[in-house]
Amino acid sequence: MTDPAMTGPATTGPATADEIVRIEGLTKTYGAVRAVDDVSLSIPRGAFLTLLGASGSGKTTILMSIAGFVQPSAGRIVVAGRDITHVPANKRGLGMVFQGYALFPHMSVGDNVGFPLRVRGGKRAVDRDRVAQALALVQMDHLIDRMPDALSGGQQQRVALARALVFNPAILLLDEPLSALDKKLRADLQWELKELHHKIGTTFIYVTHDQDEALSMSDNIVILRDGRIEQSGAPGTLYHRPASRFVADFLGKSNFIPGTAAPDPSGGITVTTRGGQLLSKALADDEAAPAGPCLMALRPENITVTHTPLEGHNTVEGTITGVSFFGADHQIMIETPALGPVTARSHALRGAVAPDTGARVCVNWRPGDWRAVADR
Amino acid sequence: MMRSQTAPYWWLVVPALAALGVFYLYPVAQVLWLSVTEPAPGLGNYTTLYESQTVRNVIWRTTWISLVTTVFTVTLGYVVAYALAQVGRRTLVIMLFAVLMTLWLSVLIRAFSWVVLLQTNGLVNQALIAIGLIDRPLPLLRNELGVIIGMVHFMLPLAILPMYANMSGLDRRVMQAADVLGARSWQAFWWVWFPMSRPGIIVATLLVFVFSLGFFVTPAILGGGRVMMLSEYISFQFQETLRWGQATMLASTLLLGVLAVLAVATRFIDMKRLFGARG
């Protein structure tokens, strides 16, 4: 299930007015390995697009192809209507922030940020103003004379951002820019990056393997797997309407329930589990009705754990086998005869039952709160 | 706490320190001692540094040849080190092998090979005449040119290896950053790569210059007795004229000169970092 606004057909069509990057049939092979396999993408101007995938999924290769460091084996890359597939990196005019920042260690903060202007032969006085502006944008203007090794990781990251933005590129490429930072600082910078994107309106193309990072920052996420696009769309769409077991498992967590689907007189579906229990499934507007053998994905947070069955819910009985406490909520492991082991998340204070190991409980969820996914 | 845990390990260093003391420090001390006691106690030997035109010539020539050698060696070595840092793995192995092979060959063999190549009827002169660049053989041997050619060849690996070690440790993403941010290749090289490779250049320069100052075999063979550098002159004083006081004085002067060069260098650079000691 691919969002049609996101991935264009592989054939060349007329570019839409607000499209800034168009990737057509991009393929990169290293010997027998297809690092990127026929990927096509259309990125709207001003978007915050994230390429999300595990290592080896091809996300970095795609970014490096856009940057000009990887020569594609096949396909084209068009930026603002210009085919740049064979343009050298230094003529593409893109901003880029690297993993590990890649600041020039022998230059001060100001000289680092001024570098893109200096190589373009700008006037010194004008350059100085633009450097100051770019540094102000990331709240680093007070450290203009520092050397990079006298900065913290977060500060280096901000300088790298200022350096990449100082010449007003239409596109900013970010290669796992936050991966070297600790968790708390990473969360702060995620927020700042999003603010910055909102403020300057530059198109951001962001590579990460971190699902939370992708979900919290992006307008659009492209999930990559083995060099191919697995699914793409807005974060909410991907989270609530995963097309496959892979996506449902990669973004957040899911319980997977195999069964057999049959139409229901009420307009929904009846799913018969392997244990023989009949469960109902309501269909969303855009959802195609599964028929025959199917795989259902059920998010732990959509489960309500109670002592007695809830009205209007699917209910399965089981026994609590384990509990993990996460501060705001509990993760409860429940062994059910009908579905096997099920994981539920329950609010720590407002949960309906005390999560005691060994307790007999009911696992409840609404018919609309689970989804059929492809088993891949 | 730390002290009591690390203290026992110091004993492991004792044999090495003892060997250094017996085989190195003691003879050096004796050389220093002889220079102020032979033939008569006092600094009498050192007055020759001012009084003898021959000694001054030798010292001047040694410094000059060492400087020229250093400039050529480091420049050529930089090109090779840069190439080493850019090529793929297979080419790298072959190139490194070629560099190291010259290091493994005996210095005598290398010097005499150059004699064969550079002599009046040698390969170099014959080739130049054959392609019509010159009419009669160039004097390439028994002069400063020959000495410098031989020395540069000998010193090249010593310059290449530290510079390559430095360059191979540079973060390639920094060069990619220069590239993607719009730097042309000459800008990326002179404004980013070259400054980052400066520590390697400094180590190579020091190493080659210090080695050159005390170099003996190659200048003796390729200079043919006509380009006498300090080491050869010292050897001459020891073996031919038997003026041990003069010889040890010059040896001590050379030692102090080298220490002075290193002392000046430490004022500008962090020696510990250059030679890999961190922390």
Side-chain angles (χ1 to χ4, degrees):
Chain A
M1 175 152 321
T2 301
D3 187 340
M6 283 294 309
T7 52
T11 53
T12 314
T16 52
D18 62 346
E19 174 189 77
I20 182 131
V21 178
R22 182 180 195 78
I23 296 173
E24 294 170 359
L26 185 72
T27 300
K28 179 64 186 177
T29 54
Y30 295 102
V33 181
R34 299 178 86 79
V36 177
D37 193 359
D38 194 24
V39 165
S40 296
L41 266 180
S42 168
I43 304 173
R45 187 180 296 276
F48 193 133
L49 177 118
T50 298
L51 301 170
L52 174 66
S55 66
S57 62
K59 59 187 190 301
T60 306
T61 309
I62 295 174
L63 193 80
M64 291 301 172
S65 303
I66 301 173
F69 299 131
V70 167
Q71 189 58 45
S73 310
R76 346 193 271 150
I77 300 166
V78 180
V79 170
R82 182 168 76 122
D83 185 340
I84 60 157
T85 316
H86 301 289
V87 174
N90 61 358
K91 300 271 190 295
R92 294 190 180 193
L94 307 174
M96 184 156 181
V97 175
F98 289 80
Q99 200 172 1
Y101 327 127
L103 295 177
F104 305 124
H106 57 291
M107 293 184 201
S108 69
V109 165
D111 288 344
N112 261 284
V113 177
F115 185 85
L117 304 175
R118 189 177 165 209
V119 298
R120 286 168 172 76
K123 282 206 181 75
R124 248 158 219 267
V126 181
D127 286 0
R128 210 162 348 168
D129 291 347
R130 292 178 69 179
V131 167
Q133 279 170 20
L135 281 171
L137 200 62
V138 293
Q139 293 106 47
M140 285 290 295
D141 36 341
H142 58 298
L143 297 176
I144 190 164
D145 293 322
R146 284 271 184 94
M147 295 304 282
D149 60 6
L151 300 176
S152 70
Q155 290 171 330
Q156 291 189 36
Q157 188 52 73
R158 291 196 175 90
V159 174
L161 262 172
R163 183 179 68 175
L165 291 170
V166 70
F167 59 107
N168 291 326
I171 299 167
L172 180 65
L173 309 175
L174 301 109
D175 182 18
E176 308 222 18
L178 306 181
S179 60
L181 303 173
D182 64 67
K183 200 176 169 187
K184 195 156 169 56
L185 188 58
R186 198 156 57 205
D188 291 346
L189 274 168
Q190 280 176 24
W191 187 253
E192 280 182 36
L193 264 177
K194 202 175 166 172
E195 289 268 283
L196 185 67
H197 173 253
H198 187 69
K199 192 151 67 180
I200 62 179
T202 305
T203 307
F204 281 29
I205 304 178
Y206 191 99
V207 160
T208 185
H209 64 271
D210 185 321
Q211 304 88 317
D212 296 336
E213 218 167 273
L215 286 172
S216 66
M217 291 196 291
S218 326
D219 301 328
N220 282 305
I221 299 176
V222 176
I223 298 180
L224 290 150
R225 181 189 185 187
D226 299 333
R228 289 171 167 274
I229 295 177
E230 178 73 18
Q231 190 178 359
S232 62
T237 310
L238 292 184
Y239 189 82
H240 294 296
R241 299 174 187 173
S244 63
R245 171 200 276 266
F246 179 83
V247 174
D249 208 29
F250 194 61
L251 288 180
K253 288 184 176 148
S254 271
N255 295 294
F256 293 102
I257 303 162
T260 310
D264 187 278
S266 69
I269 302 170
T270 301
V271 177
T272 311
T273 68
R274 285 194 185 146
Q277 185 153 3
L278 299 183
L279 298 167
S280 65
K281 156 92 181 100
L283 289 172
D285 298 342
D286 66 321
E287 207 174 1
C294 66
L295 185 71
M296 305 300 294
L298 173 60
R299 295 268 182 212
E301 68 268 26
N302 286 338
I303 293 174
T304 311
V305 181
T306 58
H307 287 300
T308 50
L310 286 180
E311 190 68 27
H313 284 58
N314 286 312
T315 301
V316 173
E317 291 185 355
T319 310
I320 295 180
T321 57
V323 178
S324 306
F325 180 55
F326 287 103
D329 56 8
H330 289 104
Q331 183 172 308
I332 307 171
M333 273 68 76
I334 303 159
E335 184 63 36
T336 66
L339 311 175
V342 169
T343 303
R345 275 189 105 95
S346 155
H347 195 284
L349 299 174
R350 280 177 242 134
V353 295
D356 298 323
T357 304
R360 301 275 303 164
V361 291
C362 293
V363 173
N364 308 277
W365 70 97
R366 289 199 185 84
D369 279 352
W370 59 336
R371 203 167 162 90
V373 294
D375 189 5
R376 60 161 199 267
Chain B
M1 204 58 195
M2 277 299 283
R3 184 170 290 250
S4 63
Q5 278 176 353
T6 53
Y9 298 107
W10 283 106
W11 291 104
L12 296 173
V13 190
V14 168
L17 287 177
L20 264 182
V22 172
F23 298 111
Y24 193 71
L25 289 179
Y26 173 70
V28 168
Q30 189 136 37
V31 164
L32 282 168
W33 178 247
L34 280 176
S35 75
V36 290
T37 54
E38 180 71 30
L43 292 172
N45 284 319
Y46 287 86
T47 54
T48 10
L49 286 175
Y50 300 97
E51 288 166 2
S52 163
Q53 185 64 39
T54 318
V55 168
R56 272 160 50 192
N57 278 349
V58 166
I59 288 176
W60 167 243
R61 186 181 303 124
T62 304
T63 313
W64 163 249
I65 290 179
S66 299
L67 275 176
V68 174
T69 301
T70 306
V71 168
F72 276 99
T73 309
V74 173
T75 310
L76 288 173
Y78 192 91
V79 176
V80 178
Y82 182 77
L84 285 171
Q86 307 298 327
V87 295
R89 228 191 133 64
R90 285 179 61 176
T91 322
L92 175 69
V93 171
I94 296 169
M95 286 181 71
L96 267 182
F97 182 75
V99 170
L100 287 172
M101 208 169 65
T102 62
L103 203 62
W104 294 330
L105 276 179
S106 153
V107 59
L108 273 173
I109 294 177
R110 282 197 265 169
F112 282 117
S113 306
W114 276 114
V115 171
V116 173
L117 287 173
L118 297 177
Q119 63 190 314
T120 314
N121 292 316
L123 201 63
V124 173
N125 272 319
Q126 280 181 7
L128 288 175
I129 291 171
I131 57 174
L133 275 175
I134 52 173
D135 305 330
R136 67 185 99 145
L138 291 172
L140 299 172
L141 216 52
R142 281 181 284 283
N143 57 18
E144 289 191 0
L145 181 62
V147 170
I148 289 170
I149 290 174
M151 282 176 66
V152 168
H153 179 239
F154 179 86
M155 300 289 174
L156 266 174
L158 297 179
I160 292 169
L161 294 176
M163 288 195 286
Y164 167 66
N166 158 266
M167 290 179 194
S168 63
L170 297 180
D171 185 352
R172 293 312 153 99
R173 281 176 301 205
V174 172
M175 295 312 294
Q176 288 190 333
D179 196 13
V180 80
L181 294 173
R184 273 168 267 195
S185 44
W186 66 265
Q187 291 169 325
F189 179 81
W190 286 111
W191 296 352
V192 181
W193 181 273
F194 187 75
M196 289 202 305
S197 63
R198 205 150 39 198
I201 299 176
I202 293 171
V203 174
T205 304
L206 276 177
L207 213 56
V208 172
F209 185 67
V210 166
F211 250 84
S212 299
L213 283 177
F215 209 27
F216 176 69
V217 177
T218 303
I221 293 171
L222 291 170
R226 291 205 212 164
V227 188
M228 196 167 285
M229 284 176 67
L230 199 51
S231 295
E232 195 182 356
Y233 188 73
I234 293 170
S235 155
F236 187 73
Q237 298 286 346
F238 264 118
Q239 294 178 341
E240 307 294 327
T241 62
L242 300 179
R243 290 161 69 195
W244 281 36
Q246 278 295 302
T248 51
M249 179 277 288
L250 287 169
S252 305
T253 307
L254 180 58
L255 180 67
L256 294 175
V258 167
L259 289 178
V261 168
L262 292 177
V264 170
T266 45
R267 290 187 65 88
F268 296 102
I269 48 171
D270 183 356
M271 278 292 181
K272 277 188 189 163
R273 239 172 105 178
L274 284 187
F275 290 106
R278 274 156 221 257

